[in-house]
């Protein structure tokens, strides 16, 4: 088992939560974000520049990935103008989709 508590196995029975993650993973932008963040931590501005997408498009995908626990904020830095800049990194997590006869309210973390 991984040393870091963020590095977990997430088992999702087929439900609304698993459908949300499947939608996220079907987004080309989300996949590209995950690939970049798997290599190195980056800010939203750096990601938008690297991917050639608008910041509001990127923000939507980042929010979805954060909510699903697939990425996390590594740290926060401050711009010269005093604005907060979040630096993101990929979470180390294995996700398993499990067909089930009964609907489970919450995902199982091992």
């Amino acid at each position: 088992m991984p040393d870091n508590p963020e590095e977990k196995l997430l088992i999702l029975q087929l439900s609304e939560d698993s459908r949300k993650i499947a939608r996220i993973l079907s987004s080309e932008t989300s996949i590209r974000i995950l690939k970049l963040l798997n290599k190195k931590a980056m800010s939203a501005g750096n990601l938008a520049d690297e991917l050639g997408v608008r910041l509001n498009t990127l923000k939507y995908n980042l929010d979805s990935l954060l909510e699903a626990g697939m990425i996390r904020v590594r740290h926060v830095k401050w711009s010269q103008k005093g604005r907060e800049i979040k630096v993101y990194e990929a979470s180390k997590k294995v996700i398993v989709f499990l067909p089930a006869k009964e609907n489970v309210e919450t995902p199982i973390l091992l």
Side-chain angles (χ1 to χ4, degrees):
M1 197 47 65
D3 295 332
N4 186 334
E6 292 294 318
E7 300 176 335
K8 297 191 181 227
L9 174 64
L10 176 62
I11 299 174
L12 291 174
Q13 294 191 345
L14 295 179
S15 66
E16 184 57 34
D17 286 337
S18 61
R19 284 192 291 275
K20 286 179 188 176
I21 290 180
R23 274 194 300 272
I24 292 167
L25 293 175
S26 69
S27 163
E28 182 182 338
T29 303
S30 291
I31 295 299
R32 292 172 66 201
I33 290 168
L34 285 169
K35 285 180 179 180
L36 285 173
L37 293 179
N38 195 45
K39 293 178 186 175
K40 66 178 180 176
M42 300 175 78
S43 69
N46 295 135
L47 284 163
D49 290 344
E50 184 78 24
L51 297 171
V53 297
R54 295 183 343 190
L55 204 51
N56 61 347
T57 300
L58 184 82
K59 179 80 169 111
Y60 170 81
N61 286 277
L62 286 175
D63 288 345
S64 295
L65 289 164
L66 278 167
E67 183 180 330
M70 299 175 80
I71 65 171
R72 62 183 175 192
V73 176
R74 181 177 184 174
H75 65 273
V76 175
K77 61 183 184 177
W78 299 93
S79 73
Q80 291 178 346
K81 295 181 180 180
R83 293 187 183 149
E84 180 182 81
I85 300 173
K86 294 177 182 174
V87 177
Y88 301 92
E89 67 182 357
S91 297
K92 306 297 183 201
K93 196 174 282 189
V94 175
I95 300 172
V96 177
F97 293 98
L98 178 68
K101 294 179 182 177
E102 297 179 20
N103 189 11
V104 174
E105 294 292 321
T106 57
I108 302 166
L109 287 172
L110 298 174

